């Protein structure tokens, strides 16, 4: 696929994007202390003296956080560095009590990897991962509690983060969105980050620049503070236009950090620092290099579950799904499992259709995620089975499903309660046909004179008279026969 | 490599240290002395020698993923110059 270009006033431009994602590691305790990590606790109620940087306190690393980073690296098909080093990144801010963040600079725990993107047109793109490193999160400052003051909560300080940096391989807002979506799906599959952007478990900064196609790289701006995939795409689109208009108007892009304002839908420069960032990294003398046992890494590798790409390929091969359908279903592990439960032993394409159209549609209307679905996978199986054995028609199945969504009841119970069982009694169907033909004698004559198109009209009338419960195949046969005279 | 007064002032600013103008000249001398010493060390051939990260050769100790610290907010806030509603309070800093 060739890179999508953006048309400016003076010709086409290519957009170059790299993403830095901060993913909060799923763990009970923090990266270097035994304080809890739960979201939404009372301010400063989950803070150890290490997190508060009290004098004399020493960090001791959490084995599980290391394991989570390695698992993530393996899932990204990345190089695992058996020796990595923790460094101090020095800067001053009220929510960073030590005056430095423990991070990894020259020797991260995970090196280069790749991520595969599934584009809407069915094509795929491979994006390079530069690195993944472990670091501490900072605390949180609230600026609106009282005028002239900032209120600091250190609950988040010291929680383990994985910073995952992509190569500048992304070429459009759409690709950036697809990258973030895919990365989030992978993290959720392996359970190393819950991917919740609203709670800040997954945060994204975007480096954006523009250039003439194939030309030298332009100056980039870093957009911070993007907390949803939709906002990421909007921020990139806005920033792309801003840079193109700036350059075409005779200006130059200045390398700077910009904030995305979701309310105004624009990016704006952050108050520029008097001095450029100079973090003066150096190895943290409190921590020895982290050495991993290759056998331990191999065990973790063996435990990596089936990931979205492999699952997608399997869904296409085993169930005959299209690339698009398979891609949508594997985007969320719960949805993929739901589909497989329904598809097993049934018509897989019908199952995919019900999950993606009826179920997703209902969830969308209710504003619910699939793991809170009012209709379980087993219940949907029940509905499909009632269709398969002829108890209800496909048309009535949608009504039954709507009732299931509303009440949470099983399909069989809804069918009984509402009396929706399909009528296969030939006599009953014939009686209904006779009644309609008697009522619509003129139309019967027209039909018999050659107006074949009226057949659909008769089907509709009989169906309506029978409350939609007639077996459609039987109705068709009987009707054809009777109309023929 | 040698430092000048402007660099010393910049390093001090980055570390949030106030070094008065009359002390900067002395710092230039002291820091350059350290750098000269490092230059001397660089003359040693360390080809093939693994960097020493600590005077005590030991591996990083790892801890299990267990919450061991009861949330003791009062203890954490005890020395704070200003606190309110369970928060540390500092002069407004907005980036």
């Amino acid at each position: 696929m060739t890179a999508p270009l953006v048309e400016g006033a003076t010709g086409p431009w290519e957009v170059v994007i790299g993403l830095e994602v901060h993913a909060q590691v799923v763990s009970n305790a923090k990266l270097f202390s035994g304080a809890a990590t739960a979201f939404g606790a009372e301010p400063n109620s989950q803070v150890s003296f290490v997190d508060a940087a009290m004098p004399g306190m020493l960090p001791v690393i959490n084995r599980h956080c290391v394991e989570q980073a390695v698992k993530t690296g393996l899932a990204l098909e990345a190089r695992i560095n058996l020796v990595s080093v923790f460094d101090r990144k020095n800067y001053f801010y009220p929510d960073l009590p030590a005056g430095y963040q423990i991070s990894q600079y020259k020797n991260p725990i995970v090196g280069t990897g790749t991520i595969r993107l599934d584009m809407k047109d069915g094509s795929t793109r491979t994006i390079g991962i530069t690195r993944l490193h472990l670091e501490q999160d900072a605390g949180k400052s609230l600026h609106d509690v009282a005028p002239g003051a900032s209120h600091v909560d250190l609950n988040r300080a010291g929680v383990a983060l994985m910073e995952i940096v992509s190569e500048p391989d992304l070429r459009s807002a759409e690709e950036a969105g697809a990258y973030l979506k895919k990365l989030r799906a992978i993290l959720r599959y392996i359970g190393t980050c819950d991917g919740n952007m609203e709670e800040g478990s997954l945060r994204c900064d975007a480096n954006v620049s523009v250039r003439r196609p194939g030309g030298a790289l332009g100056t980039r701006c870093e957009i911070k503070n993007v907390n949803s995939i939709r906002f990421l795409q909007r921020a990139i689109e806005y920033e792309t236009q801003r840079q193109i208009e700036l350059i075409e108007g005779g200006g130059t892009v200045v390398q700077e950090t910009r904030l995305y304002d979701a309310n105004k839908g624009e990016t704006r420069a952050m108050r520029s620092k008097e001095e450029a960032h100079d973090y003066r990294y150096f190895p943290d003398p409190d921590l020895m290099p982290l050495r991993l046992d290759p056998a331990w890494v191999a065990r973790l590798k063996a435990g990596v579950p089936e990931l979205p790409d492999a699952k997608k390929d399997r869904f296409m091969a085993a169930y005959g799904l299209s690339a698009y359908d398979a891609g949508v279903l594997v985007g969320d592990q719960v949805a993929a499992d739901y589909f497989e439960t329904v598809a097993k032993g049934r018509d897989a394409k019908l199952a995919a259709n019900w999950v993606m159209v009826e179920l997703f549609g209902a969830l969308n209307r209710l504003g619910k995620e699939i793991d809170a679905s009012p209709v379980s996978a087993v219940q949907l199986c029940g509905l499909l089975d009632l269709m398969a054995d002829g108890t209800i028609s496909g048309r009535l199945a949608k009504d039954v499903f709507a009732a299931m969504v509303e009440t949470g009841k099983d399909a069989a119970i809804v069918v009984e309660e509402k009396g929706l069982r399909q009528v296969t009694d030939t006599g009953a169907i014939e009686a209904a046909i006779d009644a309609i033909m008697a009522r619509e004698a003129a139309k019967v004559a027209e039909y018999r004179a050659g107006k074949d198109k009226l057949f659909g009209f008769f089907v509709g009338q009989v169906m309506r008279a029978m409350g939609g419960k007639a077996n459609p195949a039987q109705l068709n046969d009987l009707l054809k026969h009777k109309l023929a005279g | 490599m040698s430092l000048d007064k402007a660099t010393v002032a910049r390093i001090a600013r980055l570390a949030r240290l106030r070094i008065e103008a009359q002390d900067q000249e002395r710092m230039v001398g002291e820091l350059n002395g350290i750098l000269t010493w490092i230059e001397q060390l660089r003359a040693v051939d360390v080809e093939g020698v693994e960097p020493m990260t600590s005077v005590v050769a030991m591996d990083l100790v790892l801890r299990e993923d267990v919450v061991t610290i009861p949330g003791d907010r009062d203890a954490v806030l005890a020395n704070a110059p200003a606190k309110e509603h369970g928060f540390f309070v500092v002069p407004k800093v907005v980036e």
Side-chain angles (χ1 to χ4, degrees):
Chain A
M1 200 181 90
T2 50
L5 300 175
V6 177
E7 206 58 41
T10 60
W13 294 88
E14 186 180 23
V15 192
V16 178
I17 306 157
L19 296 185
E20 285 174 25
V21 172
H22 287 90
Q24 188 182 312
V25 174
V26 173
S27 66
N28 297 317
K30 294 183 181 180
L31 181 55
F32 294 111
S33 86
T37 59
F39 179 79
E42 286 291 301
N44 292 308
S45 65
Q46 297 179 163
V47 184
S48 79
F49 292 139
V50 175
D51 310 320
M54 293 295 175
M57 304 310 295
L58 288 173
V60 182
I61 196 165
N62 182 331
R63 181 192 307 276
H64 182 66
C65 294
V66 173
E67 184 177 319
Q68 295 282 61
V70 171
K71 270 166 83 172
T72 306
L74 291 168
L76 297 171
E77 288 166 10
R79 200 183 69 230
I80 306 300
N81 292 327
L82 295 177
V83 180
S84 66
V85 175
F86 287 96
D87 299 280
R88 291 185 179 179
K89 177 180 179 175
N90 300 279
Y91 67 94
F92 290 95
Y93 205 69
D95 54 28
L96 186 79
Y100 61 85
Q101 174 194 33
I102 304 178
S103 181
Q104 296 190 298
Y105 186 50
K106 280 191 185 152
N107 300 287
I109 188 165
V110 175
T112 53
T114 57
I115 207 164
R116 188 176 95 182
L117 305 189
D118 307 295
M119 305 312 296
K120 275 212 178 80
D121 63 4
S123 65
T124 60
R125 283 257 290 135
T126 301
I127 304 300
I129 301 282
T130 313
R131 59 185 279 156
L132 176 157
H133 68 251
L134 274 171
E135 63 183 26
Q136 299 174 300
D137 205 345
K140 213 165 95 182
S141 300
L142 303 178
H143 304 298
D144 47 10
V145 179
S150 292
H151 287 60
V152 180
D153 172 11
L154 295 181
N155 279 351
R156 217 177 54 186
V159 168
L161 295 179
M162 298 179 283
E163 180 173 324
I164 304 164
V165 184
S166 87
E167 293 288 319
D169 288 347
L170 300 159
R171 291 290 175 273
S172 67
E174 189 199 348
E175 285 187 4
Y179 171 91
L180 194 51
K181 231 179 259 180
K182 188 58 167 287
L183 178 59
R184 187 175 62 177
I186 292 170
L187 295 170
R188 284 179 169 165
Y189 266 62
I190 53 175
T192 60
C193 170
D194 67 24
N196 189 330
M197 294 190 80
E198 278 163 32
E199 289 179 2
S201 313
L202 194 69
R203 311 196 280 271
C204 182
D205 301 337
N207 284 298
V208 180
S209 65
V210 298
R211 65 175 175 188
R212 291 299 187 186
L217 283 172
T219 305
R220 65 187 159 86
C221 289
E222 184 181 14
I223 311 171
K224 284 200 180 285
N225 203 28
V226 189
N227 61 6
S228 83
I229 291 173
R230 199 160 47 102
F231 289 162
L232 170 70
Q233 292 180 321
R234 282 194 195 161
I236 290 170
E237 275 160 11
Y238 177 89
E239 181 61 17
T240 302
Q241 281 306 324
R242 187 188 73 84
Q243 291 185 14
I244 291 174
E245 280 165 26
L246 185 63
I247 298 168
E248 291 187 332
T252 43
V253 176
V254 183
Q255 185 167 341
E256 63 189 354
T257 305
R258 301 178 68 86
L259 277 180
Y260 178 65
D261 183 331
N263 293 322
K264 292 186 182 152
E266 61 181 34
T267 66
R268 61 166 186 271
M270 288 173 68
R271 196 162 51 105
S272 68
K273 303 234 167 62
E274 289 164 39
E275 276 150 298
H277 282 293
D278 182 347
Y279 293 124
R280 295 152 295 142
Y281 284 97
F282 64 90
D284 191 320
D286 290 339
L287 294 157
M288 297 290 109
L290 173 61
R291 290 177 201 280
L292 307 179
D293 175 4
W296 180 71
V297 174
R299 277 202 300 281
L300 289 179
K301 189 169 188 175
V304 172
E306 183 183 43
L307 295 171
D309 289 345
K311 204 183 270 292
K312 181 186 168 196
D313 294 344
R314 184 168 63 78
F315 277 13
M316 289 168 69
Y319 299 113
L321 298 187
S322 69
Y324 178 78
D325 287 359
V328 170
L329 287 170
V330 305
D332 180 337
Q333 197 172 19
V334 183
D337 290 347
Y338 192 112
F339 162 73
E340 280 219 279
T341 305
V342 180
K344 204 154 275 174
R346 294 181 186 80
D347 179 342
K349 281 184 186 164
L350 184 72
N353 209 37
W354 271 87
V355 171
M356 292 178 62
V357 180
E358 303 301 331
L359 178 70
F360 286 2
L363 292 174
N364 222 0
R365 280 193 294 280
L366 295 170
K368 282 189 176 172
E369 296 293 321
I370 191 161
D371 48 12
S373 170
V375 178
S376 71
V378 174
Q379 284 178 308
L380 185 54
C381 290
L383 178 65
L384 263 54
D385 290 344
L386 289 180
M387 276 166 69
D389 69 13
T391 306
I392 53 170
S393 66
R395 187 196 313 213
L396 276 186
K398 292 189 180 174
D399 298 341
V400 175
F401 183 74
M404 291 168 73
V405 168
E406 204 175 302
T407 62
K409 287 178 181 168
D410 285 351
I413 293 171
V414 172
V415 169
E416 284 312 320
E417 283 181 356
K418 298 203 163 197
L420 296 176
R421 187 174 283 275
Q422 181 165 259
V423 176
T424 51
D425 172 11
T426 311
I429 300 174
E430 279 181 333
I433 293 173
D434 290 341
I436 294 297
M437 283 175 67
R439 196 183 77 197
E440 305 286 348
K443 291 232 161 65
V444 173
E446 281 179 53
Y447 177 86
R448 287 181 175 156
K451 205 169 174 189
D452 292 353
K453 276 192 286 185
L454 281 171
F455 187 74
F457 164 78
F458 287 110
V459 172
Q461 292 300 309
V462 178
M463 258 308 180
R464 187 184 293 175
M466 295 189 67
K469 288 185 283 187
N471 176 298
Q474 272 178 297
L475 169 60
N476 272 346
D477 286 350
L478 292 168
L479 187 61
K480 213 168 266 176
H481 185 72
K482 280 192 176 279
L483 281 172
Chain B
M1 184 181 170
S2 76
L3 300 179
D4 56 16
K5 252 167 89 168
T7 309
V8 168
R10 185 168 157 275
I11 295 170
R13 156 109 190 101
L14 282 169
R16 301 297 187 273
L17 294 173
R18 178 182 303 169
I19 297 180
E20 305 297 347
Q22 68 268 24
D23 295 326
Q24 284 179 6
E25 199 61 59
R26 185 171 54 82
M27 292 298 291
V28 167
E30 286 183 10
L31 290 173
N32 274 328
I34 294 170
L35 288 173
T36 308
W37 182 64
I38 299 287
E39 285 301 321
Q40 274 180 303
L41 289 177
R42 283 181 119 154
V44 181
D45 180 9
V46 291
E47 188 66 36
V49 180
E50 240 190 269
M52 188 177 82
T53 46
S54 166
V55 288
V56 188
M58 58 180 283
D59 281 335
L60 184 64
V61 177
L62 293 97
R63 160 173 82 68
E64 295 310 312
D65 183 29
V66 177
V67 176
T68 53
I69 310 289
D72 189 351
R73 182 157 79 185
D74 293 341
V76 166
L77 291 172
N79 293 330
K83 56 199 154 189
E84 192 180 24
H85 314 307
F87 291 95
F88 293 93
V89 180
V90 299
K92 191 158 197 151
V93 182
V94 184
E95 206 174 349

